[in-house]
Amino acid sequence: MNAATESLNAPDSSSAPVFHRRAPRRRYLRIFGLETRAELMKMVRMPAFVVPAFAFPLMFYALFGLAFGRGQEIGPVTMLGYLLATYGAFGVIGANLFSFGVGIAVERGQGWMLLKRAMPLPPLIHFLARMVVGMVFSLLILVGLFALGGFFGGVALPLPAWVKLAAWLTVGGLPFAAFGLFFGYLCGPNSAPAVINLLYLPLSFASGLWMPYEVLPGFFKALAPWLPAFHLAQQGLGIVGAETHASWTQSIVYLSAFTVVSLVAGIAAYRRDQESWG
């Protein structure tokens, strides 16, 4: 039982249940902080999630960027600068999809989400805490990529560009957290990793995260602008100075719509799961 639950077990003179009373804002903030800390500690103690989340983007960047892409250019930028944006998007998407999709599905299978239902913990606080953890891991992945690109790849960007790229990719990962929420409640603990990978890997390829959009096969080139990962990566490419194939307005509208649809589907799947337990 995590620290957020313990904070709610203190005696209370009111006869109304804690969950149904209007708690002071400070209390909710404390619960949120404790739940976020508990989620962070839980993720750190899960190397099966943490190691691949960090290793794959950095490994791909080192292999295809530092080893084979050094000295090559893609339009106005070097390949190392180009891949910094696309593999950054790849890492952020994976961190959010697996944190929500696989993480929630596994915890449902273990009965942990059912236990949380019986706790005086508002579900929204738990999901917000998990979202913050996803953003923290996304930012750490980006710091690792930036270190490789800056120190070993010679990628030179103005400081505001580094900050803008990190901010855009970190916040841009949230739509995929909403998407993962849907699959976390749709899939079982055994099927979730396979389903998420079947979505994540083809989605990354078809969106131009592994190879430049300009060299994608015809079918994928036509499909890419309809995929959310494409829009996340395109604006990251614009920040590093590469040629883009979507405007900021198009990408923000598309990702906003994708977030809303994913949240509606995720809430519906969550309610169906709650109803199945009576």
Side-chain angles (χ1 to χ4, degrees):
M1 192 171 294
N2 61 30
T5 305
E6 295 172 2
S7 73
L8 295 171
N9 290 331
D12 198 313
S13 59
S14 173
S15 59
V18 176
F19 185 77
H20 297 289
R21 278 188 295 106
R22 228 178 135 163
R25 182 181 301 176
R26 184 178 300 175
R27 180 166 185 161
Y28 277 135
L29 289 175
R30 174 172 168 75
I31 295 169
F32 173 69
L34 291 170
E35 183 70 8
T36 301
R37 187 180 70 177
E39 286 293 321
L40 274 171
M41 292 175 63
K42 180 187 70 179
M43 298 305 291
V44 168
R45 293 169 179 172
M46 293 175 60
F49 166 77
V50 175
V51 173
F54 280 103
F56 283 132
L58 272 63
M59 180 183 67
F60 288 156
Y61 185 78
L63 180 61
F64 297 108
L66 296 177
F68 297 113
R70 193 181 297 275
Q72 299 185 38
E73 295 183 353
I74 301 177
V77 297
T78 64
M79 179 176 284
L80 288 165
Y82 189 100
L83 293 179
L84 198 64
T86 57
Y87 281 132
F90 175 73
V92 163
I93 292 169
N96 283 279
L97 277 180
F98 283 94
S99 174
F100 273 80
V102 178
I104 288 177
V106 169
E107 290 179 10
R108 284 175 55 233
Q110 294 172 338
W112 181 240
M113 299 305 286
L114 180 60
L115 178 61
K116 279 188 174 291
R117 184 183 176 189
M119 298 174 183
L121 172 67
L124 180 60
I125 288 183
H126 170 70
F127 293 127
L128 287 176
R130 191 182 283 268
M131 180 184 73
V132 170
V133 171
M135 293 178 70
V136 169
F137 273 87
S138 296
L139 188 57
L140 291 175
I141 291 169
L142 293 175
V143 169
L145 283 171
F146 290 179
L148 284 178
F151 290 112
F152 300 101
V155 178
L157 295 175
L159 179 59
W162 288 109
V163 173
K164 187 177 181 180
L165 180 61
W168 166 251
L169 292 177
T170 300
V171 175
L174 296 181
F176 300 92
F179 194 49
L181 176 67
F182 168 65
F183 282 97
Y185 280 100
L186 180 70
C187 302
N190 295 323
S191 62
V195 171
I196 294 296
N197 273 308
L198 284 174
L199 288 169
Y200 174 45
L201 299 180
L203 174 72
S204 299
F205 172 80
S207 299
L209 304 188
W210 290 357
M211 62 175 61
Y213 170 78
E214 291 80 1
V215 300
L216 284 175
F219 171 77
F220 293 107
K221 200 169 184 179
L223 177 64
W226 297 96
L227 301 175
F230 170 83
H231 289 278
L232 178 63
Q234 284 298 303
Q235 303 316 319
L237 289 169
I239 293 171
V240 302
E243 182 182 356
T244 61
H245 300 276
S247 68
W248 275 98
T249 301
Q250 289 174 325
S251 295
I252 290 174
V253 168
Y254 185 95
L255 288 172
S256 298
F258 175 70
T259 303
V260 170
V261 172
S262 297
L263 279 176
V264 170
I267 292 170
Y270 167 79
R271 288 177 174 171
R272 188 189 68 174
D273 182 74
Q274 298 299 294
E275 291 170 359
S276 70
W277 291 101

Short mmCIF file of all heavy atoms in Angstrom, two decimals, residues 166-213:
data_model
loop_
_atom_site.label_atom_id
_atom_site.label_comp_id
_atom_site.label_asym_id
_atom_site.label_seq_id
_atom_site.Cartn_x
_atom_site.Cartn_y
_atom_site.Cartn_z
N ALA A 166 12.84 20.02 -26.11
CA ALA A 166 12.52 19.18 -24.95
C ALA A 166 11.09 19.42 -24.48
O ALA A 166 10.36 18.48 -24.17
CB ALA A 166 13.51 19.47 -23.82
N ALA A 167 10.68 20.69 -24.45
CA ALA A 167 9.32 21.02 -23.99
C ALA A 167 8.27 20.48 -24.95
O ALA A 167 7.27 19.89 -24.53
CB ALA A 167 9.18 22.53 -23.84
N TRP A 168 8.49 20.65 -26.24
CA TRP A 168 7.51 20.19 -27.23
C TRP A 168 7.36 18.68 -27.18
O TRP A 168 6.24 18.16 -27.15
CB TRP A 168 7.92 20.62 -28.64
CG TRP A 168 7.17 19.91 -29.72
CD1 TRP A 168 7.64 18.97 -30.57
CD2 TRP A 168 5.78 20.06 -30.03
NE1 TRP A 168 6.65 18.52 -31.41
CE2 TRP A 168 5.49 19.18 -31.11
CE3 TRP A 168 4.75 20.86 -29.53
CZ2 TRP A 168 4.22 19.07 -31.67
CZ3 TRP A 168 3.48 20.74 -30.10
CH2 TRP A 168 3.23 19.86 -31.15
N LEU A 169 8.46 17.94 -27.17
CA LEU A 169 8.37 16.49 -27.18
C LEU A 169 7.79 15.95 -25.87
O LEU A 169 7.02 14.99 -25.88
CB LEU A 169 9.74 15.88 -27.45
CG LEU A 169 10.31 16.12 -28.86
CD1 LEU A 169 11.71 15.52 -28.98
CD2 LEU A 169 9.40 15.53 -29.93
N THR A 170 8.17 16.57 -24.74
CA THR A 170 7.66 16.09 -23.45
C THR A 170 6.15 16.29 -23.35
O THR A 170 5.41 15.36 -23.00
CB THR A 170 8.36 16.82 -22.30
OG1 THR A 170 9.77 16.58 -22.37
CG2 THR A 170 7.86 16.33 -20.95
N VAL A 171 5.69 17.48 -23.67
CA VAL A 171 4.25 17.75 -23.63
C VAL A 171 3.53 16.98 -24.75
O VAL A 171 2.42 16.49 -24.57
CB VAL A 171 3.98 19.26 -23.73
CG1 VAL A 171 2.48 19.54 -23.80
CG2 VAL A 171 4.58 19.99 -22.53
N GLY A 172 4.19 16.86 -25.89
CA GLY A 172 3.59 16.16 -27.02
C GLY A 172 3.42 14.68 -26.78
O GLY A 172 2.70 14.01 -27.54
N GLY A 173 4.05 14.15 -25.74
CA GLY A 173 3.85 12.73 -25.41
C GLY A 173 2.53 12.46 -24.71
O GLY A 173 2.08 11.31 -24.66
N LEU A 174 1.87 13.50 -24.18
CA LEU A 174 0.64 13.30 -23.41
C LEU A 174 -0.50 12.69 -24.24
O LEU A 174 -1.26 11.88 -23.71
CB LEU A 174 0.20 14.62 -22.79
CG LEU A 174 1.17 15.21 -21.76
CD1 LEU A 174 0.62 16.51 -21.18
CD2 LEU A 174 1.45 14.21 -20.65
N PRO A 175 -0.67 13.05 -25.52
CA PRO A 175 -1.71 12.37 -26.29
C PRO A 175 -1.53 10.85 -26.34
O PRO A 175 -2.52 10.11 -26.37
CB PRO A 175 -1.57 12.99 -27.69
CG PRO A 175 -0.99 14.33 -27.45
CD PRO A 175 -0.06 14.16 -26.28
N PHE A 176 -0.29 10.40 -26.30
CA PHE A 176 -0.03 8.96 -26.35
C PHE A 176 -0.26 8.31 -24.99
O PHE A 176 -0.52 7.11 -24.91
CB PHE A 176 1.39 8.72 -26.86
CG PHE A 176 1.60 9.27 -28.24
CD1 PHE A 176 2.09 10.56 -28.42
CD2 PHE A 176 1.26 8.53 -29.36
CE1 PHE A 176 2.25 11.09 -29.69
CE2 PHE A 176 1.41 9.05 -30.64
CZ PHE A 176 1.90 10.33 -30.80
N ALA A 177 -0.18 9.12 -23.92
CA ALA A 177 -0.57 8.61 -22.61
C ALA A 177 -2.07 8.34 -22.60
O ALA A 177 -2.53 7.32 -22.07
CB ALA A 177 -0.20 9.62 -21.53
N ALA A 178 -2.85 9.25 -23.20
CA ALA A 178 -4.30 9.05 -23.29
C ALA A 178 -4.61 7.83 -24.15
O ALA A 178 -5.51 7.03 -23.84
CB ALA A 178 -4.96 10.29 -23.89
N PHE A 179 -3.85 7.65 -25.23
CA PHE A 179 -4.02 6.49 -26.10
C PHE A 179 -3.69 5.21 -25.34
O PHE A 179 -4.39 4.19 -25.45
CB PHE A 179 -3.10 6.65 -27.31
CG PHE A 179 -3.39 5.72 -28.45
CD1 PHE A 179 -4.68 5.55 -28.95
CD2 PHE A 179 -2.36 5.01 -29.05
CE1 PHE A 179 -4.93 4.70 -30.02
CE2 PHE A 179 -2.60 4.16 -30.12
CZ PHE A 179 -3.90 3.99 -30.59
N GLY A 180 -2.62 5.26 -24.55
CA GLY A 180 -2.24 4.10 -23.75
C GLY A 180 -3.27 3.77 -22.69
O GLY A 180 -3.50 2.59 -22.38
N LEU A 181 -3.92 4.79 -22.13
CA LEU A 181 -4.98 4.57 -21.13
C LEU A 181 -6.09 3.69 -21.70
O LEU A 181 -6.57 2.76 -21.04
CB LEU A 181 -5.56 5.91 -20.68
CG LEU A 181 -6.74 5.86 -19.71
CD1 LEU A 181 -6.30 5.31 -18.36
CD2 LEU A 181 -7.36 7.24 -19.56
N PHE A 182 -6.46 3.96 -22.94
CA PHE A 182 -7.50 3.16 -23.60
C PHE A 182 -7.08 1.70 -23.69
O PHE A 182 -7.84 0.80 -23.32
CB PHE A 182 -7.79 3.74 -24.98
CG PHE A 182 -8.62 2.84 -25.85
CD1 PHE A 182 -9.92 2.53 -25.51
CD2 PHE A 182 -8.09 2.30 -27.02
CE1 PHE A 182 -10.69 1.69 -26.31
CE2 PHE A 182 -8.84 1.48 -27.82
CZ PHE A 182 -10.15 1.16 -27.46
N PHE A 183 -5.86 1.44 -24.15
CA PHE A 183 -5.42 0.05 -24.31
C PHE A 183 -5.13 -0.60 -22.97
O PHE A 183 -5.23 -1.83 -22.84
CB PHE A 183 -4.19 0.00 -25.22
CG PHE A 183 -4.53 0.14 -26.67
CD1 PHE A 183 -4.45 1.37 -27.30
CD2 PHE A 183 -4.99 -0.94 -27.40
CE1 PHE A 183 -4.79 1.52 -28.62
CE2 PHE A 183 -5.34 -0.81 -28.73
CZ PHE A 183 -5.24 0.43 -29.35
N GLY A 184 -4.78 0.20 -21.96
CA GLY A 184 -4.57 -0.35 -20.64
C GLY A 184 -5.82 -0.98 -20.06
O GLY A 184 -5.75 -1.97 -19.32
N TYR A 185 -6.98 -0.41 -20.39
CA TYR A 185 -8.25 -0.96 -19.91
C TYR A 185 -8.93 -1.86 -20.93
O TYR A 185 -9.88 -2.55 -20.60
CB TYR A 185 -9.19 0.18 -19.50
CG TYR A 185 -8.88 0.71 -18.13
CD1 TYR A 185 -8.16 1.88 -17.97
CD2 TYR A 185 -9.26 0.01 -16.99
CE1 TYR A 185 -7.84 2.36 -16.70
CE2 TYR A 185 -8.95 0.48 -15.72
CZ TYR A 185 -8.24 1.64 -15.59
OH TYR A 185 -7.93 2.10 -14.34
N LEU A 186 -8.44 -1.85 -22.15
CA LEU A 186 -9.00 -2.72 -23.19
C LEU A 186 -8.35 -4.09 -23.18
O LEU A 186 -9.03 -5.11 -23.38
CB LEU A 186 -8.81 -2.07 -24.56
CG LEU A 186 -9.35 -2.84 -25.76
CD1 LEU A 186 -10.88 -2.85 -25.75
CD2 LEU A 186 -8.84 -2.24 -27.06
N CYS A 187 -7.03 -4.13 -22.92
CA CYS A 187 -6.27 -5.37 -23.04
C CYS A 187 -6.00 -6.00 -21.67
O CYS A 187 -6.02 -5.32 -20.64
CB CYS A 187 -4.93 -5.10 -23.72
SG CYS A 187 -5.07 -4.36 -25.36
N GLY A 188 -5.72 -7.28 -21.68
CA GLY A 188 -5.33 -7.98 -20.48
C GLY A 188 -3.84 -7.85 -20.24
O GLY A 188 -3.09 -7.39 -21.11
N PRO A 189 -3.36 -8.29 -19.07
CA PRO A 189 -1.93 -8.13 -18.75
C PRO A 189 -1.00 -8.92 -19.66
O PRO A 189 0.15 -8.52 -19.87
CB PRO A 189 -1.85 -8.65 -17.30
CG PRO A 189 -3.05 -9.53 -17.13
CD PRO A 189 -4.12 -8.93 -17.98
N ASN A 190 -1.47 -10.02 -20.22
CA ASN A 190 -0.61 -10.83 -21.10
C ASN A 190 -0.60 -10.32 -22.53
O ASN A 190 0.41 -10.40 -23.23
CB ASN A 190 -1.06 -12.29 -21.07
CG ASN A 190 -0.88 -12.92 -19.71
OD1 ASN A 190 0.09 -12.66 -19.01
ND2 ASN A 190 -1.83 -13.77 -19.31
N SER A 191 -1.73 -9.78 -22.97
CA SER A 191 -1.83 -9.32 -24.36
C SER A 191 -1.36 -7.88 -24.55
O SER A 191 -0.97 -7.50 -25.65
CB SER A 191 -3.28 -9.44 -24.85
OG SER A 191 -4.15 -8.62 -24.09
N ALA A 192 -1.38 -7.07 -23.49
CA ALA A 192 -1.07 -5.65 -23.63
C ALA A 192 0.32 -5.39 -24.22
O ALA A 192 0.44 -4.57 -25.15
CB ALA A 192 -1.22 -4.95 -22.29
N PRO A 193 1.41 -6.03 -23.74
CA PRO A 193 2.72 -5.74 -24.33
C PRO A 193 2.77 -6.04 -25.83
O PRO A 193 3.35 -5.25 -26.60
CB PRO A 193 3.67 -6.67 -23.55
CG PRO A 193 2.98 -6.92 -22.26
CD PRO A 193 1.52 -6.96 -22.60
N ALA A 194 2.17 -7.14 -26.25
CA ALA A 194 2.18 -7.49 -27.67
C ALA A 194 1.36 -6.49 -28.48
O ALA A 194 1.79 -6.04 -29.55
CB ALA A 194 1.64 -8.90 -27.86
N VAL A 195 0.18 -6.14 -27.98
CA VAL A 195 -0.68 -5.20 -28.71
C VAL A 195 -0.01 -3.84 -28.83
O VAL A 195 -0.01 -3.21 -29.90
CB VAL A 195 -2.05 -5.07 -28.01
CG1 VAL A 195 -2.88 -3.95 -28.63
CG2 VAL A 195 -2.81 -6.39 -28.10
N ILE A 196 0.57 -3.35 -27.72
CA ILE A 196 1.22 -2.04 -27.75
C ILE A 196 2.40 -2.04 -28.72
O ILE A 196 2.60 -1.10 -29.49
CB ILE A 196 1.69 -1.65 -26.33
CG1 ILE A 196 0.49 -1.43 -25.41
CG2 ILE A 196 2.55 -0.39 -26.39
CD1 ILE A 196 -0.40 -0.28 -25.79
N ASN A 197 3.19 -3.12 -28.70
CA ASN A 197 4.32 -3.19 -29.64
C ASN A 197 3.85 -3.26 -31.09
O ASN A 197 4.48 -2.67 -31.98
CB ASN A 197 5.19 -4.41 -29.32
CG ASN A 197 6.25 -4.10 -28.29
OD1 ASN A 197 7.00 -3.15 -28.42
ND2 ASN A 197 6.31 -4.90 -27.23
N LEU A 198 2.75 -3.96 -31.34
CA LEU A 198 2.21 -4.04 -32.70
C LEU A 198 1.73 -2.69 -33.20
O LEU A 198 1.67 -2.45 -34.41
CB LEU A 198 1.07 -5.06 -32.75
CG LEU A 198 1.50 -6.54 -32.75
CD1 LEU A 198 0.27 -7.45 -32.65
CD2 LEU A 198 2.30 -6.87 -34.01
N LEU A 199 1.37 -1.82 -32.27
CA LEU A 199 0.98 -0.46 -32.65
C LEU A 199 2.19 0.47 -32.71
O LEU A 199 2.35 1.25 -33.66
CB LEU A 199 -0.03 0.09 -31.64
CG LEU A 199 -1.43 -0.51 -31.67
CD1 LEU A 199 -2.21 -0.06 -30.44
CD2 LEU A 199 -2.17 -0.08 -32.93
N TYR A 200 3.02 0.38 -31.70
CA TYR A 200 4.12 1.32 -31.51
C TYR A 200 5.17 1.24 -32.62
O TYR A 200 5.57 2.27 -33.20
CB TYR A 200 4.74 1.02 -30.14
CG TYR A 200 5.99 1.78 -29.78
CD1 TYR A 200 6.10 3.15 -29.99
CD2 TYR A 200 7.07 1.12 -29.18
CE1 TYR A 200 7.24 3.84 -29.62
CE2 TYR A 200 8.20 1.79 -28.79
CZ TYR A 200 8.28 3.15 -29.02
OH TYR A 200 9.42 3.84 -28.64
N LEU A 201 5.61 0.05 -32.95
CA LEU A 201 6.69 -0.09 -33.92
C LEU A 201 6.26 0.26 -35.34
O LEU A 201 6.92 1.07 -36.01
CB LEU A 201 7.29 -1.50 -33.83
CG LEU A 201 7.89 -1.85 -32.46
CD1 LEU A 201 8.45 -3.26 -32.47
CD2 LEU A 201 8.97 -0.85 -32.05
N PRO A 202 5.15 -0.30 -35.86
CA PRO A 202 4.71 0.13 -37.19
C PRO A 202 4.33 1.61 -37.26
O PRO A 202 4.59 2.28 -38.26
CB PRO A 202 3.47 -0.75 -37.46
CG PRO A 202 3.65 -1.94 -36.58
CD PRO A 202 4.32 -1.42 -35.35
N LEU A 203 3.73 2.12 -36.17
CA LEU A 203 3.39 3.54 -36.13
C LEU A 203 4.65 4.41 -36.25
O LEU A 203 4.66 5.42 -36.98
CB LEU A 203 2.68 3.86 -34.81
CG LEU A 203 2.36 5.33 -34.52
CD1 LEU A 203 1.22 5.81 -35.42
CD2 LEU A 203 1.96 5.52 -33.05
N SER A 204 5.72 4.01 -35.58
CA SER A 204 6.97 4.77 -35.64
C SER A 204 7.57 4.73 -37.03
O SER A 204 8.02 5.77 -37.56
CB SER A 204 7.96 4.20 -34.62
OG SER A 204 7.45 4.29 -33.32
N PHE A 205 7.58 3.56 -37.65
CA PHE A 205 8.13 3.45 -39.00
C PHE A 205 7.32 4.27 -40.00
O PHE A 205 7.87 5.05 -40.79
CB PHE A 205 8.17 1.99 -39.44
CG PHE A 205 8.56 1.81 -40.89
CD1 PHE A 205 9.89 1.86 -41.26
CD2 PHE A 205 7.60 1.61 -41.87
CE1 PHE A 205 10.26 1.71 -42.60
CE2 PHE A 205 7.95 1.45 -43.19
CZ PHE A 205 9.28 1.50 -43.57
N ALA A 206 6.00 4.08 -39.97
CA ALA A 206 5.14 4.75 -40.95
C ALA A 206 5.09 6.26 -40.76
O ALA A 206 4.72 6.98 -41.69
CB ALA A 206 3.72 4.17 -40.87
N SER A 207 5.47 6.75 -39.58
CA SER A 207 5.44 8.19 -39.31
C SER A 207 6.76 8.87 -39.66
O SER A 207 6.90 10.08 -39.47
CB SER A 207 5.12 8.44 -37.83
OG SER A 207 3.85 7.91 -37.51
N GLY A 208 7.74 8.10 -40.13
CA GLY A 208 9.02 8.68 -40.49
C GLY A 208 9.95 8.90 -39.32
O GLY A 208 10.82 9.77 -39.37
N LEU A 209 9.79 8.11 -38.25
CA LEU A 209 10.67 8.26 -37.09
C LEU A 209 11.96 7.47 -37.25
O LEU A 209 12.96 7.78 -36.61
CB LEU A 209 9.95 7.80 -35.81
CG LEU A 209 8.62 8.48 -35.47
CD1 LEU A 209 8.16 8.06 -34.09
CD2 LEU A 209 8.72 9.98 -35.57
N TRP A 210 11.95 6.46 -38.09
CA TRP A 210 13.14 5.63 -38.28
C TRP A 210 13.90 6.01 -39.55
O TRP A 210 15.10 5.76 -39.65
CB TRP A 210 12.76 4.15 -38.35
CG TRP A 210 12.30 3.60 -37.04
CD1 TRP A 210 12.25 4.25 -35.84
CD2 TRP A 210 11.83 2.29 -36.79
NE1 TRP A 210 11.77 3.43 -34.86
CE2 TRP A 210 11.50 2.21 -35.41
CE3 TRP A 210 11.63 1.15 -37.57
CZ2 TRP A 210 11.00 1.06 -34.81
CZ3 TRP A 210 11.13 0.00 -36.99
CH2 TRP A 210 10.82 -0.05 -35.62
N MET A 211 13.22 6.53 -40.52
CA MET A 211 13.87 7.01 -41.73
C MET A 211 13.15 8.28 -42.17
O MET A 211 11.98 8.47 -41.84
CB MET A 211 13.83 5.94 -42.84
CG MET A 211 12.45 5.54 -43.30
SD MET A 211 12.48 4.39 -44.70
CE MET A 211 13.35 3.00 -44.00
N PRO A 212 13.83 9.16 -42.88
CA PRO A 212 13.22 10.43 -43.27
C PRO A 212 11.93 10.23 -44.06
O PRO A 212 11.80 9.29 -44.86
CB PRO A 212 14.29 11.10 -44.13
CG PRO A 212 15.57 10.49 -43.66
CD PRO A 212 15.24 9.07 -43.29
N TYR A 213 11.00 11.12 -43.85
CA TYR A 213 9.71 11.07 -44.54
C TYR A 213 9.91 11.05 -46.05
O TYR A 213 9.19 10.36 -46.78
CB TYR A 213 8.87 12.29 -44.13
CG TYR A 213 7.62 12.48 -44.96
CD1 TYR A 213 6.49 11.71 -44.73
CD2 TYR A 213 7.58 13.45 -45.96
CE1 TYR A 213 5.35 11.89 -45.49
CE2 TYR A 213 6.44 13.64 -46.72
CZ TYR A 213 5.33 12.86 -46.48
OH TYR A 213 4.19 13.03 -47.24
#
